[in-house]
Amino acid sequence: MSKLKKLLSKLHISTQNFLGYPVSKDFDIDEVLPFFQYPINNLGDPFVDSTYGVNSNELEREVVSYFASLFNAPEDNWWGYVTNGGSEGNLYSLYLAREKYPEGIVYYSDSTHYSVRKNLHVLNIPNITIKSQPNGEMDYQDLHQTISQHRNVPVIIVANIGTTMTEAVDDVSKIKAVLKNLAVQRSYIHCDGALGGIVNAHTPNAKKFDFSANVDSITLSGHKFIGSPIPSGVVIVKKANRDRIALSISYTGSLDTTITGSRNGHSPIILWNALQQFGEHGLKRRVQHCLNLAEYTLSVLKNNGVEAWKNPYAITVVLPPQPKTIQQRWQLATEESMSHIICMPNVTKEQINDVVNHIVNHGNLTFPEKDTNFTDEFSNTSNIFHV
Ligand SMILES: *Cc1c(COP(=O)(O)O)cnc(C)c1O
């Protein structure tokens, strides 16, 4: 077999049993395949046409507009673009925050995605890590106490709309209450919604995190919930903040408002097509499927004696750290203290039954000893965390 054929069959097999990373696999690729014959490049700002004509800027603008309106962006004061993923969106948002408040300090919980710490290092912004609660949500008391020691310095917050391991949602209204209580005058709130952004926006009763709660930027990943086969993402920001960094480039005829100059023009087509195929109704149905399946997963795990729990409105089910064989077989992301199953749109009850069987027979049913309090606290999460 040729190397490419071998790789293809390996990818085919490893895509089938894939329960630990937030990737959808039900994406219909046929309509977008013909576009791969062309050197599409959305050079520069999607809202300013450049002299490079082989682009998909128009579809990119529609994708960005869709998310701007989903997140209630202020009508005349938003801007955004299709990125290479959630990490780039975090980098971009923190870049705008730093340009707005060059002397600011960034606060983020210790459950935050690793890209944030790296981006802060790249941007060289002073930052302080805030404790998380056991469910992965920011500890607002610690936030209050920490900011109170730097009240004269602008506050930049990274709020998680779904942390990577437990899909905990930081409560923007509680964060704002902290800022108000300390009379903080200058603040910037960025929401990292890589996986949870779309799920949350389509979940009735979930905590509100969008521009109507007066946040400053939101990012999400396009290959997670939507399921683009190429990593991608979307960042939505306030236009006034983007204007601060805009430079005109005569060589391309566009504005240098994005992190990279040449930009992937296929991803906007893929995302546009997915949004078109699903429609609002389809997206809501996908979210509902995931939520229902997560409830199902939690209940079969518990009924079979596995100490599992999940956050409210989350599609991620947290379980005791599993042995290597189970991690590898199902590609379960695992940290020292936990593993998780993410109930993505394509995951089925049959797969859940299989993985539960495997865990019950060969896996760890309980959390390690040192986490006893932690699990006690979570034996009845629905009472504790439903607001
Ligand atoms: C996946 C993820 C990211 C990074 O997104 P990429 O698209 O992989 O760059 C950032 N934040 C959170 C919470 C994530 O889950």
Side-chain angles (χ1 to χ4, degrees):
M1 234 197 297
S2 77
K3 256 197 176 167
L4 283 181
K5 280 212 177 110
K6 252 191 223 152
L7 175 61
L8 196 60
S9 81
K10 183 180 142 219
L11 293 173
H12 182 75
I13 292 167
S14 52
T15 301
Q16 278 170 352
N17 297 316
F18 200 82
L19 298 181
Y21 290 88
V23 177
S24 309
K25 302 166 299 186
D26 55 345
F27 190 79
D28 182 1
I29 196 74
D30 288 350
E31 279 182 301
V32 299
L33 271 183
F35 291 92
F36 283 84
Q37 308 168 63
Y38 303 106
I40 311 176
N41 188 336
N42 290 8
L43 194 60
D45 190 308
F47 291 84
V48 182
D49 279 328
S50 76
T51 40
Y52 189 89
V54 189
N55 67 60
S56 61
N57 285 355
E58 191 186 336
L59 298 193
E60 180 171 7
R61 290 194 286 268
E62 287 186 26
V63 169
V64 173
S65 303
Y66 167 79
F67 286 106
S69 95
L70 180 68
F71 297 141
N72 293 306
E75 200 151 311
D76 303 316
N77 185 19
W78 64 266
W79 183 87
Y81 74 98
V82 173
T83 62
N84 290 306
S87 303
E88 182 184 336
N90 284 339
L91 176 64
Y92 189 71
S93 302
L94 289 167
Y95 172 40
L96 295 196
R98 188 196 67 184
E99 294 306 289
K100 182 163 189 190
Y101 295 124
E103 71 279 36
I105 296 178
V106 176
Y107 303 86
Y108 59 99
S109 86
D110 58 11
S111 301
T112 300
H113 189 261
Y114 65 88
S115 64
V116 168
R117 194 182 291 269
K118 174 177 57 192
N119 290 334
L120 291 171
H121 191 60
V122 170
L123 291 165
N124 196 21
I125 315 181
N127 59 85
I128 301 176
T129 312
I130 303 298
K131 277 192 282 200
S132 316
Q133 304 175 46
N135 71 327
E137 185 176 342
M138 182 181 278
D139 180 329
Y140 309 104
Q141 260 170 338
D142 191 37
L143 180 70
H144 186 282
Q145 215 210 329
T146 310
I147 295 178
S148 72
Q149 292 159 12
H150 308 272
R151 286 174 62 165
N152 54 334
V153 182
V155 173
I156 301 166
I157 304 246
V158 176
N160 291 306
I161 309 306
T163 57
T164 309
M165 278 311 283
T166 70
E167 208 185 323
V169 176
D170 294 337
D171 191 328
V172 173
S173 66
K174 288 186 182 155
I175 291 170
K176 294 196 84 92
V178 167
L179 300 180
K180 185 149 184 249
N181 187 273
L182 293 169
V184 171
Q185 300 299 313
R186 292 171 296 168
S187 63
Y188 183 110
I189 300 181
H190 168 60
C191 292
D192 179 356
L195 166 68
I198 303 181
V199 177
N200 225 259
H202 286 102
T203 304
N205 307 325
K207 282 179 209 159
K208 220 173 182 40
F209 69 92
D210 64 19
F211 288 91
S212 61
N214 207 17
V215 305
D216 295 279
S217 48
I218 298 176
T219 56
L220 56 98
S221 298
H223 50 286
K224 292 186 174 174
F225 192 75
I226 294 181
S228 160
I230 301 176
S232 68
V234 177
V235 60
I236 309 286
V237 302
K238 288 187 176 159
K239 186 162 179 300
N241 292 332
R242 141 341 186 156
D243 290 346
R244 198 172 286 109
I245 60 130
L247 280 178
S248 167
I249 306 296
S250 58
Y251 162 66
T252 66
S254 187
L255 278 178
D256 191 17
T257 45
T258 50
I259 294 281
T260 63
S262 284
R263 293 187 309 109
N264 176 340
H266 292 90
S267 289
I269 300 174
I270 290 170
L271 294 180
W272 186 90
N273 191 242
L275 292 174
Q276 205 71 16
Q277 278 177 7
F278 298 143
E280 262 315 280
H281 186 68
L283 284 171
K284 287 204 176 101
R285 210 178 40 224
R286 276 162 83 81
V287 169
Q288 201 52 53
H289 165 85
C290 296
L291 291 169
N292 293 345
L293 192 66
E295 291 297 339
Y296 173 80
T297 306
L298 183 62
S299 69
V300 282
L301 282 166
K302 279 180 161 178
N303 290 344
N304 283 283
V306 183
E307 281 178 349
W309 60 272
K310 78 174 195 71
N311 276 305
Y313 309 119
I315 64 173
T316 302
V317 177
V318 184
L319 50 154
Q322 294 304 312
K324 273 272 171 327
T325 46
I326 293 185
Q327 283 178 39
Q328 274 159 5
R329 165 84 168 80
W330 303 96
Q331 300 177 51
L332 298 188
T334 299
E335 280 186 351
E336 212 173 298
S337 62
M338 63 181 90
S339 293
H340 69 195
I341 293 174
I342 308 188
C343 298
M344 294 301 285
N346 52 276
V347 175
T348 62
K349 274 190 178 171
E350 290 68 41
Q351 281 175 306
I352 295 298
N353 293 341
D354 287 349
V355 70
V356 171
N357 250 331
H358 199 176
I359 290 170
V360 169
N361 290 317
H362 303 282
N364 294 325
L365 308 194
T366 57
F367 284 92
E369 199 57 56
K370 65 178 181 200
D371 282 335
T372 323
N373 292 335
F374 173 86
T375 50
D376 282 352
E377 201 165 333
F378 279 94
S379 55
N380 203 349
T381 40
S382 54
N383 290 342
I384 300 173
F385 290 103
H386 273 294
V387 186

